[in-house]
Amino acid sequence: MRKLIFVAFLSLFWLSACSSQQKYTSVIEAIKSEGINITQIESPQEAQLNETNPLSYKLDNNEIIRVYDFGSKEKRELGKKRFQEHQQLLSSYAPIVYQTSNYLVLYYSNVNNSKTATPKLSETKYGEKIQKAINSVE
């Protein structure tokens, strides 16, 4: 009987641990929770999208992320559209683009040997961790 109760308790504990993923309201908070060390840096003026200045961060391997908080999903979509129009004019590698609620996040990785203009998450050091962080933002 004790074994049955112990197994039931252990199963319940395991299920609750697996189903409860921490949710964050801040993209930066979520990224830091993934163990990514970031340092805020000054954003260049040309990084502005639709009158929204990003918060720019340098990762420990000198890669850059820019976080835009547009305040609404509609404004975020307009900002993404503006970014895509601007990116088409450039011939360099494009950043990885993440979106969640009001946020648009651009990850400029140091991947130079990608076969595509935008590297795959698996080709970058932090791409998959940033994706996981973005998925945990409410």
Side-chain angles (χ1 to χ4, degrees):
M1 183 68 168
R2 283 184 175 182
K3 287 183 180 181
L4 182 61
I5 292 172
F6 178 74
V7 169
F9 177 74
L10 190 60
S11 298
L12 181 63
F13 177 75
W14 183 73
L15 286 173
S16 66
C18 291
S19 64
S20 61
Q21 180 184 0
Q22 177 74 35
K23 290 290 186 179
Y24 296 93
T25 56
S26 161
V27 169
I28 298 306
E29 199 176 90
I31 289 171
K32 287 180 179 179
S33 77
E34 289 298 317
I36 300 172
N37 295 320
I38 58 175
T39 304
Q40 189 167 357
I41 59 173
E42 190 173 332
S43 296
Q45 184 63 30
E46 63 270 10
Q48 186 181 61
L49 288 175
N50 291 356
E51 299 179 8
T52 300
N53 291 314
L55 294 176
S56 295
Y57 297 87
K58 185 168 84 171
L59 304 168
D60 61 7
N61 61 348
N62 291 324
E63 295 177 332
I64 303 290
I65 58 172
R66 292 205 170 94
V67 179
Y68 295 84
D69 184 354
F70 287 101
S72 73
K73 289 180 182 180
E74 294 79 17
K75 288 182 181 178
R76 183 204 69 211
E77 285 299 319
L78 291 173
K80 181 181 177 189
K81 182 179 177 184
R82 173 72 179 111
F83 169 75
Q84 288 172 330
E85 291 167 356
H86 177 73
Q87 189 63 35
Q88 286 178 346
L89 301 174
L90 302 175
S91 61
S92 63
Y93 287 98
I96 297 172
V97 179
Y98 303 93
Q99 299 182 87
T100 185
S101 74
N102 305 333
Y103 296 101
L104 179 70
V105 178
L106 306 178
Y107 171 37
Y108 293 88
S109 70
N110 290 334
V111 175
N112 294 325
N113 57 351
S114 179
K115 294 181 176 163
T116 61
T118 302
K120 296 177 184 175
L121 296 181
S122 60
E123 295 176 323
T124 67
K125 182 172 181 180
Y126 293 111
E128 292 173 341
K129 284 185 174 185
I130 295 172
Q131 181 66 61
K132 185 176 177 185
I134 295 298
N135 291 343
S136 70
V137 176
E138 295 180 319

Short mmCIF file of all heavy atoms in Angstrom, two decimals, residues 27-28 31-32 36-49 52-60 62-69 83 95 103-108 130:
data_model
loop_
_atom_site.label_atom_id
_atom_site.label_comp_id
_atom_site.label_asym_id
_atom_site.label_seq_id
_atom_site.Cartn_x
_atom_site.Cartn_y
_atom_site.Cartn_z
N VAL A 27 10.64 40.05 -22.35
CA VAL A 27 11.52 39.25 -23.20
C VAL A 27 12.91 39.14 -22.59
O VAL A 27 13.51 38.07 -22.57
CB VAL A 27 11.59 39.85 -24.63
CG1 VAL A 27 12.69 39.20 -25.44
CG2 VAL A 27 10.26 39.70 -25.34
N ILE A 28 13.42 40.23 -22.08
CA ILE A 28 14.77 40.23 -21.48
C ILE A 28 14.82 39.29 -20.28
O ILE A 28 15.77 38.52 -20.12
CB ILE A 28 15.19 41.67 -21.11
CG1 ILE A 28 15.25 42.54 -22.35
CG2 ILE A 28 16.51 41.68 -20.36
CD1 ILE A 28 16.11 41.98 -23.47
N ILE A 31 14.93 35.77 -21.61
CA ILE A 31 16.24 35.43 -22.19
C ILE A 31 17.26 35.17 -21.09
O ILE A 31 18.01 34.20 -21.13
CB ILE A 31 16.70 36.55 -23.15
CG1 ILE A 31 15.84 36.52 -24.42
CG2 ILE A 31 18.18 36.40 -23.50
CD1 ILE A 31 16.05 37.69 -25.35
N LYS A 32 17.26 36.01 -20.07
CA LYS A 32 18.18 35.80 -18.95
C LYS A 32 17.90 34.50 -18.23
O LYS A 32 18.82 33.83 -17.74
CB LYS A 32 18.10 36.98 -17.97
CG LYS A 32 18.74 38.25 -18.48
CD LYS A 32 18.62 39.37 -17.47
CE LYS A 32 19.28 40.63 -17.94
NZ LYS A 32 19.13 41.73 -16.96
N ILE A 36 21.51 33.05 -20.61
CA ILE A 36 22.23 33.83 -21.61
C ILE A 36 22.68 35.14 -20.95
O ILE A 36 21.86 35.90 -20.44
CB ILE A 36 21.35 34.13 -22.84
CG1 ILE A 36 20.89 32.82 -23.49
CG2 ILE A 36 22.09 35.00 -23.83
CD1 ILE A 36 19.87 33.00 -24.59
N ASN A 37 23.98 35.38 -20.95
CA ASN A 37 24.52 36.61 -20.39
C ASN A 37 24.43 37.72 -21.43
O ASN A 37 24.96 37.59 -22.53
CB ASN A 37 25.98 36.42 -19.96
CG ASN A 37 26.10 35.44 -18.83
OD1 ASN A 37 25.29 35.44 -17.91
ND2 ASN A 37 27.08 34.57 -18.89
N ILE A 38 23.76 38.80 -21.07
CA ILE A 38 23.59 39.93 -21.99
C ILE A 38 23.99 41.22 -21.29
O ILE A 38 23.84 41.35 -20.08
CB ILE A 38 22.15 40.03 -22.53
CG1 ILE A 38 21.14 40.17 -21.40
CG2 ILE A 38 21.81 38.84 -23.40
CD1 ILE A 38 19.72 40.40 -21.85
N THR A 39 24.51 42.16 -22.08
CA THR A 39 24.90 43.46 -21.58
C THR A 39 24.25 44.51 -22.47
O THR A 39 24.40 44.47 -23.69
CB THR A 39 26.44 43.63 -21.65
OG1 THR A 39 27.05 42.56 -20.93
CG2 THR A 39 26.87 44.97 -21.08
N GLN A 40 23.50 45.42 -21.85
CA GLN A 40 22.84 46.46 -22.64
C GLN A 40 23.87 47.39 -23.25
O GLN A 40 24.85 47.78 -22.60
CB GLN A 40 21.84 47.25 -21.81
CG GLN A 40 20.98 48.17 -22.65
CD GLN A 40 19.78 48.72 -21.89
OE1 GLN A 40 19.54 48.38 -20.75
NE2 GLN A 40 19.03 49.57 -22.56
N ILE A 41 23.67 47.73 -24.52
CA ILE A 41 24.54 48.65 -25.25
C ILE A 41 23.68 49.71 -25.90
O ILE A 41 22.45 49.59 -25.97
CB ILE A 41 25.39 47.90 -26.31
CG1 ILE A 41 24.48 47.18 -27.32
CG2 ILE A 41 26.37 46.95 -25.66
CD1 ILE A 41 25.22 46.56 -28.50
N GLU A 42 24.31 50.74 -26.40
CA GLU A 42 23.59 51.81 -27.07
C GLU A 42 23.09 51.32 -28.43
O GLU A 42 23.81 50.65 -29.17
CB GLU A 42 24.50 53.02 -27.25
CG GLU A 42 23.77 54.25 -27.73
CD GLU A 42 24.66 55.48 -27.75
OE1 GLU A 42 25.61 55.53 -26.94
OE2 GLU A 42 24.40 56.36 -28.57
N SER A 43 21.86 51.69 -28.75
CA SER A 43 21.28 51.33 -30.05
C SER A 43 21.61 52.40 -31.07
O SER A 43 21.45 53.59 -30.79
CB SER A 43 19.76 51.20 -29.94
OG SER A 43 19.40 50.16 -29.09
N PRO A 44 22.03 52.00 -32.25
CA PRO A 44 22.28 53.00 -33.30
C PRO A 44 20.96 53.64 -33.76
O PRO A 44 19.91 52.99 -33.73
CB PRO A 44 22.94 52.20 -34.42
CG PRO A 44 22.58 50.78 -34.17
CD PRO A 44 22.31 50.65 -32.70
N GLN A 45 21.03 54.87 -34.20
CA GLN A 45 19.84 55.59 -34.65
C GLN A 45 19.14 54.87 -35.79
O GLN A 45 17.92 54.84 -35.86
CB GLN A 45 20.22 57.03 -35.07
CG GLN A 45 19.04 57.89 -35.47
CD GLN A 45 18.05 58.13 -34.34
OE1 GLN A 45 18.42 58.15 -33.17
NE2 GLN A 45 16.79 58.28 -34.68
N GLU A 46 19.91 54.25 -36.68
CA GLU A 46 19.31 53.57 -37.83
C GLU A 46 18.58 52.29 -37.44
O GLU A 46 17.91 51.66 -38.28
CB GLU A 46 20.35 53.28 -38.91
CG GLU A 46 21.46 52.34 -38.52
CD GLU A 46 22.68 53.05 -37.93
OE1 GLU A 46 22.61 54.27 -37.64
OE2 GLU A 46 23.70 52.39 -37.74
N ALA A 47 18.66 51.87 -36.19
CA ALA A 47 17.95 50.67 -35.74
C ALA A 47 16.48 50.97 -35.44
O ALA A 47 15.69 50.05 -35.25
CB ALA A 47 18.62 50.09 -34.50
N GLN A 48 16.11 52.23 -35.43
CA GLN A 48 14.72 52.61 -35.15
C GLN A 48 13.77 52.06 -36.21
O GLN A 48 14.06 52.09 -37.41
CB GLN A 48 14.62 54.14 -35.10
CG GLN A 48 13.27 54.65 -34.66
CD GLN A 48 13.23 56.16 -34.64
OE1 GLN A 48 13.41 56.79 -35.67
NE2 GLN A 48 13.00 56.74 -33.47
N LEU A 49 12.64 51.52 -35.77
CA LEU A 49 11.59 51.03 -36.66
C LEU A 49 10.27 51.70 -36.31
O LEU A 49 9.82 51.60 -35.17
CB LEU A 49 11.41 49.52 -36.53
CG LEU A 49 12.49 48.60 -37.09
CD1 LEU A 49 12.17 47.16 -36.74
CD2 LEU A 49 12.59 48.76 -38.59
N THR A 52 10.07 53.51 -33.15
CA THR A 52 10.33 52.73 -31.93
C THR A 52 11.81 52.39 -31.89
O THR A 52 12.34 51.77 -32.81
CB THR A 52 9.49 51.43 -31.93
OG1 THR A 52 8.11 51.78 -31.97
CG2 THR A 52 9.77 50.60 -30.69
N ASN A 53 12.46 52.83 -30.82
CA ASN A 53 13.87 52.51 -30.62
C ASN A 53 13.98 51.18 -29.89
O ASN A 53 13.25 50.94 -28.92
CB ASN A 53 14.56 53.61 -29.80
CG ASN A 53 14.68 54.88 -30.57
OD1 ASN A 53 15.06 54.88 -31.73
ND2 ASN A 53 14.32 56.00 -29.94
N PRO A 54 14.89 50.33 -30.31
CA PRO A 54 15.06 49.06 -29.61
C PRO A 54 15.94 49.20 -28.39
O PRO A 54 16.67 50.18 -28.24
CB PRO A 54 15.77 48.20 -30.66
CG PRO A 54 16.62 49.18 -31.38
CD PRO A 54 15.79 50.44 -31.46
N LEU A 55 15.87 48.22 -27.53
CA LEU A 55 16.89 48.03 -26.51
C LEU A 55 17.86 47.04 -27.13
O LEU A 55 17.46 45.97 -27.60
CB LEU A 55 16.29 47.47 -25.22
CG LEU A 55 15.32 48.38 -24.48
CD1 LEU A 55 14.73 47.66 -23.27
CD2 LEU A 55 16.01 49.66 -24.06
N SER A 56 19.12 47.39 -27.18
CA SER A 56 20.13 46.53 -27.81
C SER A 56 21.01 45.91 -26.74
O SER A 56 21.35 46.56 -25.74
CB SER A 56 21.01 47.35 -28.78
OG SER A 56 20.23 47.82 -29.85
N TYR A 57 21.37 44.66 -26.97
CA TYR A 57 22.18 43.91 -26.02
C TYR A 57 23.27 43.16 -26.75
O TYR A 57 23.07 42.67 -27.87
CB TYR A 57 21.32 42.89 -25.25
CG TYR A 57 20.25 43.54 -24.42
CD1 TYR A 57 19.02 43.84 -24.98
CD2 TYR A 57 20.48 43.88 -23.10
CE1 TYR A 57 18.03 44.45 -24.22
CE2 TYR A 57 19.50 44.49 -22.33
CZ TYR A 57 18.27 44.77 -22.90
OH TYR A 57 17.29 45.39 -22.16
N LYS A 58 24.43 43.07 -26.10
CA LYS A 58 25.54 42.29 -26.63
C LYS A 58 25.61 41.00 -25.82
O LYS A 58 25.55 41.01 -24.60
CB LYS A 58 26.85 43.07 -26.51
CG LYS A 58 28.03 42.36 -27.15
CD LYS A 58 29.22 43.27 -27.28
CE LYS A 58 30.00 43.30 -25.99
NZ LYS A 58 31.28 44.00 -26.12
N LEU A 59 25.73 39.89 -26.55
CA LEU A 59 25.88 38.59 -25.90
C LEU A 59 27.36 38.36 -25.60
O LEU A 59 28.22 39.08 -26.10
CB LEU A 59 25.33 37.50 -26.81
CG LEU A 59 23.87 37.70 -27.24
CD1 LEU A 59 23.50 36.75 -28.35
CD2 LEU A 59 22.95 37.51 -26.06
N ASP A 60 27.67 37.34 -24.83
CA ASP A 60 29.06 37.10 -24.44
C ASP A 60 29.98 36.74 -25.60
O ASP A 60 31.19 36.81 -25.48
CB ASP A 60 29.16 36.05 -23.34
CG ASP A 60 28.63 34.69 -23.75
OD1 ASP A 60 28.28 34.50 -24.93
OD2 ASP A 60 28.54 33.81 -22.87
N ASN A 62 29.83 38.41 -28.52
CA ASN A 62 29.75 39.64 -29.33
C ASN A 62 28.62 39.64 -30.35
O ASN A 62 28.60 40.48 -31.24
CB ASN A 62 31.09 39.95 -30.02
CG ASN A 62 32.13 40.36 -29.01
OD1 ASN A 62 31.81 41.03 -28.02
ND2 ASN A 62 33.36 39.97 -29.24
N GLU A 63 27.69 38.71 -30.26
CA GLU A 63 26.50 38.78 -31.09
C GLU A 63 25.56 39.81 -30.48
O GLU A 63 25.72 40.19 -29.32
CB GLU A 63 25.81 37.40 -31.18
CG GLU A 63 26.67 36.37 -31.88
CD GLU A 63 26.04 34.99 -31.93
OE1 GLU A 63 25.26 34.65 -31.02
OE2 GLU A 63 26.36 34.27 -32.87
N ILE A 64 24.61 40.28 -31.26
CA ILE A 64 23.72 41.36 -30.85
C ILE A 64 22.27 40.90 -30.94
O ILE A 64 21.88 40.22 -31.88
CB ILE A 64 23.89 42.60 -31.76
CG1 ILE A 64 25.34 43.09 -31.77
CG2 ILE A 64 22.92 43.72 -31.39
CD1 ILE A 64 25.82 43.71 -30.49
N ILE A 65 21.46 41.30 -29.94
CA ILE A 65 20.02 41.18 -30.07
C ILE A 65 19.41 42.57 -29.87
O ILE A 65 19.93 43.38 -29.09
CB ILE A 65 19.38 40.15 -29.11
CG1 ILE A 65 19.69 40.49 -27.65
CG2 ILE A 65 19.79 38.75 -29.44
CD1 ILE A 65 18.93 39.61 -26.68
N ARG A 66 18.35 42.82 -30.61
CA ARG A 66 17.62 44.08 -30.47
C ARG A 66 16.18 43.73 -30.14
O ARG A 66 15.55 42.93 -30.83
CB ARG A 66 17.68 44.89 -31.76
CG ARG A 66 19.08 45.39 -32.02
CD ARG A 66 19.12 46.66 -32.88
NE ARG A 66 20.47 47.17 -32.87
CZ ARG A 66 21.38 46.87 -33.80
NH1 ARG A 66 21.09 46.11 -34.81
NH2 ARG A 66 22.60 47.37 -33.70
N VAL A 67 15.67 44.35 -29.09
CA VAL A 67 14.32 44.07 -28.62
C VAL A 67 13.47 45.31 -28.80
O VAL A 67 13.76 46.37 -28.23
CB VAL A 67 14.33 43.64 -27.13
CG1 VAL A 67 12.91 43.38 -26.64
CG2 VAL A 67 15.21 42.41 -26.94
N TYR A 68 12.43 45.18 -29.60
CA TYR A 68 11.48 46.28 -29.85
C TYR A 68 10.20 45.97 -29.10
O TYR A 68 9.63 44.89 -29.26
CB TYR A 68 11.15 46.39 -31.34
CG TYR A 68 12.31 46.76 -32.22
CD1 TYR A 68 13.19 45.79 -32.68
CD2 TYR A 68 12.51 48.09 -32.60
CE1 TYR A 68 14.25 46.13 -33.52
CE2 TYR A 68 13.57 48.44 -33.43
CZ TYR A 68 14.44 47.45 -33.87
OH TYR A 68 15.49 47.79 -34.70
N ASP A 69 9.70 46.92 -28.32
CA ASP A 69 8.39 46.79 -27.69
C ASP A 69 7.49 47.81 -28.36
O ASP A 69 7.57 49.00 -28.10
CB ASP A 69 8.48 47.04 -26.19
CG ASP A 69 7.15 46.82 -25.48
OD1 ASP A 69 6.12 46.57 -26.16
OD2 ASP A 69 7.13 46.90 -24.24
N PHE A 83 10.77 46.49 -41.29
CA PHE A 83 12.08 45.85 -41.21
C PHE A 83 12.34 45.00 -42.45
O PHE A 83 13.42 45.04 -43.02
CB PHE A 83 12.21 45.00 -39.95
CG PHE A 83 13.43 44.13 -39.96
CD1 PHE A 83 14.68 44.68 -39.75
CD2 PHE A 83 13.33 42.78 -40.26
CE1 PHE A 83 15.82 43.89 -39.79
CE2 PHE A 83 14.47 41.99 -40.31
CZ PHE A 83 15.71 42.55 -40.08
N PRO A 95 19.17 39.00 -39.81
CA PRO A 95 19.08 38.43 -38.47
C PRO A 95 17.94 37.42 -38.39
O PRO A 95 17.06 37.37 -39.26
CB PRO A 95 18.78 39.65 -37.60
CG PRO A 95 18.02 40.55 -38.50
CD PRO A 95 18.65 40.36 -39.86
N TYR A 103 6.31 42.28 -28.86
CA TYR A 103 7.75 42.33 -29.06
C TYR A 103 8.18 41.79 -30.43
O TYR A 103 7.65 40.80 -30.92
CB TYR A 103 8.48 41.50 -28.00
CG TYR A 103 8.32 42.02 -26.60
CD1 TYR A 103 7.41 41.43 -25.73
CD2 TYR A 103 9.08 43.09 -26.15
CE1 TYR A 103 7.28 41.90 -24.43
CE2 TYR A 103 8.93 43.57 -24.85
CZ TYR A 103 8.04 42.97 -24.00
OH TYR A 103 7.90 43.43 -22.72
N LEU A 104 9.18 42.46 -30.97
CA LEU A 104 9.91 41.99 -32.15
C LEU A 104 11.37 41.92 -31.70
O LEU A 104 11.91 42.90 -31.20
CB LEU A 104 9.75 42.95 -33.32
CG LEU A 104 10.47 42.59 -34.61
CD1 LEU A 104 9.80 41.38 -35.26
CD2 LEU A 104 10.44 43.77 -35.58
N VAL A 105 11.99 40.75 -31.86
CA VAL A 105 13.38 40.55 -31.42
C VAL A 105 14.21 40.15 -32.63
O VAL A 105 13.84 39.24 -33.36
CB VAL A 105 13.46 39.46 -30.32
CG1 VAL A 105 14.89 39.22 -29.91
CG2 VAL A 105 12.60 39.83 -29.12
N LEU A 106 15.31 40.84 -32.84
CA LEU A 106 16.23 40.55 -33.93
C LEU A 106 17.53 40.02 -33.33
O LEU A 106 18.14 40.67 -32.48
CB LEU A 106 16.52 41.81 -34.76
CG LEU A 106 15.30 42.56 -35.29
CD1 LEU A 106 15.74 43.81 -36.04
CD2 LEU A 106 14.47 41.66 -36.18
N TYR A 107 17.95 38.85 -33.80
CA TYR A 107 19.17 38.21 -33.30
C TYR A 107 20.19 38.21 -34.43
O TYR A 107 20.04 37.50 -35.41
CB TYR A 107 18.84 36.79 -32.84
CG TYR A 107 20.03 35.91 -32.49
CD1 TYR A 107 21.16 36.41 -31.86
CD2 TYR A 107 19.98 34.55 -32.75
CE1 TYR A 107 22.23 35.58 -31.54
CE2 TYR A 107 21.04 33.71 -32.43
CZ TYR A 107 22.16 34.23 -31.83
OH TYR A 107 23.22 33.41 -31.50
N TYR A 108 21.22 39.03 -34.27
CA TYR A 108 22.31 39.12 -35.25
C TYR A 108 23.42 38.18 -34.82
O TYR A 108 24.24 38.52 -33.97
CB TYR A 108 22.83 40.56 -35.33
CG TYR A 108 21.83 41.53 -35.89
CD1 TYR A 108 20.91 42.19 -35.08
CD2 TYR A 108 21.79 41.80 -37.26
CE1 TYR A 108 19.98 43.08 -35.61
CE2 TYR A 108 20.88 42.69 -37.79
CZ TYR A 108 19.98 43.32 -36.96
OH TYR A 108 19.06 44.20 -37.48
N ILE A 130 17.09 31.37 -27.32
CA ILE A 130 16.26 32.57 -27.47
C ILE A 130 14.85 32.17 -27.89
O ILE A 130 13.87 32.72 -27.39
CB ILE A 130 16.90 33.57 -28.47
CG1 ILE A 130 18.21 34.10 -27.90
CG2 ILE A 130 15.94 34.71 -28.77
CD1 ILE A 130 19.03 34.94 -28.87
#
